[in-house]
Amino acid sequence: MGFGTLFVGYILTYLFVLTPFGYLFELVGSALMLYAMTKLTEYNKNFRYSFFAAIPVVLIALFSSVINSVDMLGVTFIPPEMLILVVAYAKAVFNLLFHIALLTAVADIARETGCGKIRTAAYRNLIIYAFYFVLFIVSNLSVIQANETAYSLIALAGNIFWLAWVILNGTMLYSCYMRICDENDTEMKAKTSRFSFINKFREEFDRRENKAREADRRFYKEKKTKKEKKKK
């Protein structure tokens, strides 16, 4: 359906970027997210906005990869400081737009499929990301950077919010992968493993997932019934 690819791409882009070859992970991950959007658009048209928002994210990742790869090859190339600053701000803005498009699309498809918890998580994560973006802007103000104590505190808060939205968004996308699927996928069963403990784990996990799905169905059915009674 696309959520599995999106989850992998998201983790590579925003978590593995901390590794020594983070710029390559960022490029591969953002490309995977872009591809995932083409699949998800088939199920919810709102993902087309995420697709267009992801294009500049991929291009910026490509730019970073080229610059870092050239440097690793021993070629001396120092991009202008103004260019680095512009790219940094552009990256922050386009990541904000991408997350707005992505999280609103996830909230909408969660609403359509009756996954209330995922919908709530999407809006919660959007608020957390907004706080992070504000902290990013404030930390780059000259008046803040001139005050070492203020800058350190805001930078620390920004890092905490960054870690929060990366983990929470990753968790939310994994939940989408597990709980929002194509109708044809619901009949597919995992192959039996040669290890009994793996089979038992899958059975227990499936039982819990089915229980959660059924609880969501009952909740929205009761909600729909109450609305119909009020209309009468």
Side-chain angles (χ1 to χ4, degrees):
M1 183 175 178
F3 276 119
T5 304
L6 178 58
F7 168 73
V8 173
Y10 193 90
I11 294 300
L12 289 176
T13 302
Y14 296 108
L15 191 58
F16 277 68
V17 71
L18 298 175
T19 63
F21 294 96
Y23 56 91
L24 292 178
F25 284 117
E26 187 177 14
L27 177 60
V28 173
S30 57
L32 284 174
M33 290 195 299
L34 188 66
Y35 171 73
M37 297 308 162
T38 63
K39 306 297 292 182
L40 288 166
T41 302
E42 299 174 11
Y43 301 94
N44 187 292
K45 296 300 181 182
N46 286 328
F47 281 103
R48 68 180 181 272
Y49 302 117
S50 305
F51 172 81
F52 291 120
I55 293 175
V57 174
V58 175
L59 293 177
I60 291 174
L62 177 61
F63 173 81
S64 298
S65 295
V66 170
I67 295 299
N68 283 281
S69 297
V70 167
D71 186 59
M72 285 189 65
L73 292 174
V75 179
T76 303
F77 175 70
I78 303 176
E81 186 176 344
M82 181 58 68
L83 177 61
I84 295 175
L85 188 63
V86 169
V87 171
Y89 277 104
K91 183 177 181 179
V93 171
F94 285 123
N95 270 308
L96 173 66
L97 295 176
F98 170 70
H99 278 85
I100 291 174
L102 173 64
L103 293 172
T104 51
V106 168
D108 192 56
I109 197 172
R111 176 188 59 80
E112 291 178 345
T113 54
C115 296
K117 291 181 180 179
I118 293 177
R119 185 168 182 247
T120 301
Y123 287 126
R124 176 203 62 200
N125 295 356
L126 186 56
I127 293 172
I128 292 174
Y129 194 94
F131 274 111
Y132 162 76
F133 186 78
V134 170
L135 288 170
F136 170 80
I137 296 299
V138 172
S139 67
N140 282 279
L141 296 176
S142 56
V143 64
I144 296 298
Q145 293 186 345
N147 188 315
E148 186 176 348
T149 302
Y151 177 77
S152 298
L153 289 174
I154 293 174
L156 176 61
N159 288 332
I160 292 173
F161 273 95
W162 173 84
L163 186 62
W165 64 254
V166 170
I167 293 175
L168 290 173
N169 280 334
T171 303
M172 180 199 67
L173 292 175
Y174 184 75
S175 296
C176 291
Y177 167 69
M178 295 301 299
R179 301 190 62 181
I180 303 176
C181 61
D182 188 354
E183 290 179 336
N184 298 323
D185 291 338
T186 57
E187 301 299 325
M188 295 174 65
K189 295 182 179 180
K191 294 181 180 179
T192 304
S193 172
R194 68 180 69 179
F195 302 106
S196 60
F197 74 93
I198 292 180
N199 293 325
K200 289 180 180 179
F201 174 80
R202 284 176 177 170
E203 289 174 2
E204 178 62 20
F205 187 84
D206 289 341
R207 186 186 68 79
R208 290 177 179 271
E209 283 297 308
N210 290 332
K211 186 178 180 181
R213 287 173 190 260
E214 187 58 34
D216 279 343
R217 290 193 191 100
R218 286 198 303 269
F219 173 77
Y220 282 97
K221 186 177 180 180
E222 291 173 1
K223 191 175 181 180
K224 185 178 180 181
T225 303
K226 289 180 180 179
K227 284 184 178 180
E228 291 175 352
K229 287 182 178 180
K230 286 182 180 180
K231 289 180 180 179
K232 292 179 180 180

